[in-house]
Amino acid sequence: MTETLVQSGSKSALIGFDHPFCVIGERINPTGRKILNEELERGDFSRVQADALAQVAAGATILDINSGAVFSNKMAEDVRYADNNFVEPTLMRELILKVQEVTDVPLCIDSSVPGALEAGLEVAQGRPLLNSVTGEEERLEAVLPLVKKYNVPVVAISNDDTGISEDPDVRFAVAKRIVERAADHGIPAHDIVVDPLVMPIGAMGTAGQQVFTLVRRLRSELGVNTTCGASNISFGLPNRHGINNAFLPMAMAAGMTSAIMNPVALPVSAKKIAEKKAAVLAAGIILPEDMDDEAFVQLFGMGSTHARPGKEMEAIRAANFLTNHDAGGAAWIKFNKTPGSDDSGGGRGRRGGRRRRG
Amino acid sequence: MTETLVQSGSKSALIGFDHPFCVIGERINPTGRKILNEELERGDFSRVQADALAQVAAGATILDINSGAVFSNKMAEDVRYADNNFVEPTLMRELILKVQEVTDVPLCIDSSVPGALEAGLEVAQGRPLLNSVTGEEERLEAVLPLVKKYNVPVVAISNDDTGISEDPDVRFAVAKRIVERAADHGIPAHDIVVDPLVMPIGAMGTAGQQVFTLVRRLRSELGVNTTCGASNISFGLPNRHGINNAFLPMAMAAGMTSAIMNPVALPVSAKKIAEKKAAVLAAGIILPEDMDDEAFVQLFGMGSTHARPGKEMEAIRAANFLTNHDAGGAAWIKFNKTPGSDDSGGGRGRRGGRRRRG
């Protein structure tokens, strides 16, 4: 069965039909993370390293490294910084070296700049995953030779020069064409991980079904592994975790083998702690003067001041079990031995109960 | 497309491929509920009525009524009470009349005693669902004529005189034979809701995949609706809700159209409240003297002292959305407007973010 081998200098991650779902941590990405972007501009990689460790602790087996920063201050001094072809190769190199200092999980080199992809390939140990090629002609020509030269697997996103089609048959055809073009370069299908593109379910009611159908077709007709930006499905909706927690098991049941996602439940924010304290005091509760934030949030059921695995990881681990990638449930039982997990019973085995009588 | 019509005197519930998932509330069942069993023996139906209302409030659109009580005290006085053929018909009649006093949702008449099924059919308004027939010869002969006489739909459980097979192909064959036997009685396939039997995943690693495959086959090859005792999947495991919450969306993605399950998250128990209060006092927190339990459990993140929809209902509503039975998400948004729902963001639409730059 199809297996995509991703490696660091010392560790392997297998993406495949016969393996547990592969979680690719998405946090090391300055896009939309203003503070991280500013830190990177100042050459501060402390948060990057902390994010790497937190994601691995939460269950990521591959870390995505995205170099898409915008260095506005440097841009004001030196116009070259307005060009990501100038910024990203250097930044990608630095990001990878800093992450490799603290963890040895395999990496996913993520950039829309071919020069950054190659810079990453030069310094990443082992056999990283390249992210990404698309069906756009220019991108095919730039990326596939790199994939071949460095003998690495690649994420293939199913859009092309006409954009992202809302028609899943067109997105399948684009994926098929990328696989064929890769074959022309001598790249086997098992080294291509297709992202069928997840649309927001709030905007398109068929978005979920499109993904499930595409994943099944990509698996059975092209024999390729699949991935996605999982949180896109819940974009713009209330209770995004609720949607994500159902989406991931459904996609896994359809045969999805990996996702680029956030495995970490972020710590309770200082703002939320302050709000809760105000509500607690307003209710007439008197707190001991020496109570620290961690004790406070734990007693008041707010989670933790430390990063923990997110609810999505619980859904993935349960779905691994339900797709027979945790026979006997050892991994599930271990996961649920962490403090604060919900250990209460579900139902009572109704059917079994009744039948004993019958 | 296949539709099973279940009705009360005034309301219809449709189980079907083109409808939202049908939640059949399982709580009105004395099996394994000692206090309820004792109350029924005393003729106290207050909890039955409260459970009916709580399940409807949580989202059940059909209520299962199971009469499988064991009246030990009466048995000591009158040996006839040792026979469920004596106990259940009377009890089923009473249960249905009491439930119909407080709610008008359609009912599911659930007993292994044919006399109780007929007693239920005599008093239930509308077109109840009969639960159940199996592939056992005696049961086929007893139940199918009732289904025909009263023109009602029926749950068909895929075991037969040889027991419950661990081989899903045998369970499929049993279901097929029940559908054929029903056809001999003039009962159409759309009035049969097959329960493919859910094994505990902790005991059988393939249990989840068996259900998903069987549901797909039952739907495509026999054209029937499906149901299951959903909580069986997590029997004997820690964090049963975690397993159930992944199982239900996966089964729905495979085409399952209903489940017999508990839609209600039970109120926080007095014991848990007492334990938490002890921990709170031990931490040096001083509570106001007039604080009631509901205010306490809400401030300390314990849920509520009132019954609420369970996490499984969140998973089902999200999966309804993801299978395009909530286009636009109006039902999802309404569900999440209830106090205490998790309104925090999931991810940041990573892909979209990146593509805007590309």
Side-chain angles (χ1 to χ4, degrees):
Chain A
M1 299 294 278
T2 299
E3 267 182 4
T4 305
L5 176 64
V6 188
Q7 288 182 302
S8 65
S10 59
K11 273 199 178 140
S12 294
L14 282 166
I15 306 173
F17 301 172
D18 292 331
H19 297 282
F21 194 73
C22 177
V23 174
I24 304 171
E26 72 173 12
R27 292 287 293 161
I28 302 176
N29 184 341
T31 315
R33 294 185 72 186
K34 195 165 169 244
I35 295 170
L36 176 65
N37 190 81
E38 286 169 5
E39 288 171 350
L40 295 181
E41 185 160 16
R42 293 199 308 270
D44 174 0
F45 292 86
S46 56
R47 189 182 303 266
V48 167
Q49 293 187 322
D51 282 349
L53 293 171
Q55 291 182 100
V56 172
T61 54
I62 296 177
L63 294 179
D64 189 84
I65 312 286
N66 181 299
S67 55
V70 177
F71 289 167
S72 311
N73 295 327
K74 290 189 172 174
M75 213 185 288
E77 293 167 17
D78 183 341
V79 70
R80 289 178 303 167
Y81 282 94
D83 182 1
N84 271 51
N85 290 297
F86 177 76
V87 172
E88 290 200 38
T90 306
L91 180 59
M92 180 63 86
R93 202 174 285 119
E94 290 174 316
L95 284 167
I96 289 176
L97 292 172
K98 288 295 180 183
V99 169
Q100 287 180 165
E101 277 177 18
V102 295
T103 180
D104 64 349
V105 301
L107 304 180
C108 176
I109 302 171
D110 183 1
S111 176
S112 55
V113 172
L117 296 179
E118 181 143 30
L121 287 166
E122 284 164 4
V123 295
Q125 294 168 7
R127 190 171 200 259
L129 178 61
L130 209 60
N131 189 1
S132 57
V133 69
T134 68
E136 296 159 295
E137 195 54 41
E138 193 184 337
R139 189 126 182 120
L140 285 163
E141 287 305 310
V143 177
L144 291 181
L146 286 178
V147 172
K148 181 62 185 168
K149 175 179 172 189
Y150 287 89
N151 181 29
V152 290
V154 65
V155 174
I157 304 182
S158 50
N159 66 303
D160 65 10
D161 291 302
T162 64
I164 301 173
S165 174
E166 292 197 354
D167 179 347
D169 290 340
V170 172
R171 300 215 297 281
F172 179 83
V174 171
K176 188 158 183 274
R177 197 154 48 80
I178 299 173
V179 171
E180 288 163 355
R181 285 289 289 273
D184 293 343
H185 288 257
I187 300 160
H190 67 248
D191 271 340
I192 300 174
V193 182
V194 172
D195 179 343
L197 285 167
V198 173
M199 309 289 184
I201 185 79
M204 187 193 287
T206 56
Q209 291 178 307
Q210 282 193 2
V211 174
F212 310 146
T213 305
L214 275 169
V215 165
R216 266 191 291 269
R217 288 191 67 192
L218 289 164
R219 180 169 174 146
S220 64
E221 296 179 38
L222 302 188
V224 292
N225 279 310
T226 43
T227 196
C228 71
S231 61
N232 268 15
I233 194 74
S234 60
F235 185 78
L237 290 169
N239 188 6
R240 295 188 65 175
H241 292 300
I243 298 284
N244 299 348
N245 295 349
F247 173 73
L248 285 161
M250 294 169 94
M252 289 166 69
M256 177 103 71
T257 45
S258 70
I260 302 174
M261 54 173 281
N262 180 10
V264 180
L266 294 183
V268 185
S269 68
K271 181 165 168 259
K272 286 220 165 170
I273 296 174
E275 283 169 3
K276 187 75 177 185
K277 276 196 177 151
V280 162
L281 298 175
I285 290 174
I286 301 168
L287 299 171
E289 282 186 16
D290 62 346
M291 174 169 273
D292 65 20
D293 277 353
E294 178 62 16
F296 176 80
V297 301
Q298 288 215 357
L299 270 170
F300 284 87
M302 300 179 76
S304 174
T305 60
H306 309 298
R308 299 167 303 151
K311 277 281 169 191
E312 282 84 351
M313 291 305 294
E314 178 180 284
I316 285 172
R317 283 167 186 276
N320 274 337
F321 199 173
L322 291 162
T323 50
N324 200 23
H325 291 116
D326 182 13
W332 176 254
I333 289 163
K334 189 178 166 206
F335 179 72
N336 284 288
K337 276 190 177 154
T338 53
S341 74
D342 174 8
D343 205 29
S344 60
R348 286 162 296 102
R350 195 191 70 90
R351 293 287 162 142
R354 199 180 65 192
R355 189 150 297 105
R356 280 194 296 276
R357 277 194 6 259
Chain B
M1 300 293 279
T2 298
E3 267 183 3
T4 305
L5 175 65
V6 188
Q7 287 181 303
S8 66
S10 58
K11 271 197 180 144
S12 295
L14 281 166
I15 305 174
F17 301 170
D18 292 331
H19 297 282
F21 195 71
C22 176
V23 174
I24 304 171
E26 72 173 13
R27 293 286 294 160
I28 301 175
N29 184 342
T31 314
R33 294 186 69 185
K34 199 168 166 239
I35 295 171
L36 177 66
N37 190 81
E38 287 169 6
E39 287 171 351
L40 295 180
E41 185 160 18
R42 293 199 309 270
D44 174 0
F45 291 86
S46 56
R47 189 181 305 265
V48 167
Q49 292 186 321
D51 282 349
L53 292 172
Q55 290 182 101
V56 173
T61 53
I62 296 177
L63 293 178
D64 189 83
I65 312 285
N66 181 300
S67 55
V70 177
F71 289 166
S72 311
N73 295 328
K74 289 189 172 173
M75 215 185 285
E77 292 168 17
D78 183 342
V79 72
R80 289 179 300 169
Y81 282 94
D83 182 1
N84 270 53
N85 290 296
F86 177 77
V87 172
E88 290 199 40
T90 306
L91 180 58
M92 181 62 87
R93 202 173 285 119
E94 292 174 315
L95 284 167
I96 289 174
L97 293 172
K98 289 294 181 185
V99 169
Q100 287 180 164
E101 277 177 17
V102 295
T103 179
D104 63 350
V105 300
L107 304 181
C108 175
I109 302 170
D110 182 2
S111 176
S112 55
V113 173
L117 295 179
E118 181 141 30
L121 287 166
E122 284 164 2
V123 296
Q125 294 169 7
R127 190 172 200 257
L129 178 60
L130 209 61
N131 187 2
S132 57
V133 69
T134 69
E136 295 160 295
E137 195 54 41
E138 195 183 334
R139 190 129 181 117
L140 284 163
E141 288 305 311
V143 176
L144 290 181
L146 286 179
V147 172
K148 180 65 185 169
K149 176 179 171 191
Y150 287 90
N151 182 29
V152 290
V154 65
V155 174
I157 303 182
S158 49
N159 64 305
D160 65 11
D161 291 302
T162 65
I164 300 173
S165 174
E166 293 197 353
D167 179 348
D169 290 340
V170 172
R171 301 215 298 282
F172 179 83
V174 172
K176 187 158 183 272
R177 196 155 47 79
I178 300 173
V179 170
E180 287 164 357
R181 286 289 289 273
D184 294 343
H185 288 257
I187 300 160
H190 68 246
D191 271 340
I192 300 174
V193 181
V194 173
D195 180 343
L197 284 165
V198 173
M199 309 290 184
I201 185 80
M204 187 192 285
T206 56
Q209 290 178 307
Q210 282 193 0
V211 175
F212 310 144
T213 305
L214 276 168
V215 165
R216 267 191 289 268
R217 287 192 68 192
L218 290 163
R219 180 170 173 146
S220 64
E221 296 178 37
L222 302 186
V224 292
N225 278 310
T226 44
T227 196
C228 71
S231 61
N232 268 14
I233 193 75
S234 60
F235 184 78
L237 290 170
N239 188 6
R240 295 187 65 176
H241 292 300
I243 299 283
N244 300 347
N245 294 350
F247 173 72
L248 285 161
M250 293 169 95
M252 289 165 72
M256 177 102 72
T257 44
S258 70
I260 302 173
M261 54 174 279
N262 180 10
V264 180
L266 295 182
V268 184
S269 69
K271 182 166 167 260
K272 287 220 164 169
I273 295 173
E275 283 169 4
K276 186 75 178 187
K277 276 196 177 151
V280 161
L281 298 174
I285 291 174
I286 301 167
L287 299 171
E289 283 185 17
D290 61 347
M291 175 170 272
D292 65 19
D293 277 353
E294 177 62 17
F296 176 80
V297 301
Q298 287 216 356
L299 269 171
F300 284 87
M302 299 179 76
S304 175
T305 60
H306 309 298
R308 297 166 305 151
K311 276 283 171 190
E312 283 84 351
M313 291 305 293
E314 178 180 283
I316 286 172
R317 284 169 185 275
N320 274 337
F321 199 174
L322 291 163
T323 50
N324 201 20
H325 292 117
D326 182 14
W332 177 255
I333 289 164
K334 190 177 165 205
F335 179 72
N336 284 288
K337 276 194 179 152
T338 52
S341 74
D342 172 7
D343 205 28
S344 60
R348 286 165 296 103
R350 195 191 70 89
R351 292 290 163 141
R354 201 181 63 192
R355 189 149 297 104
R356 281 196 295 277
R357 277 198 3 262

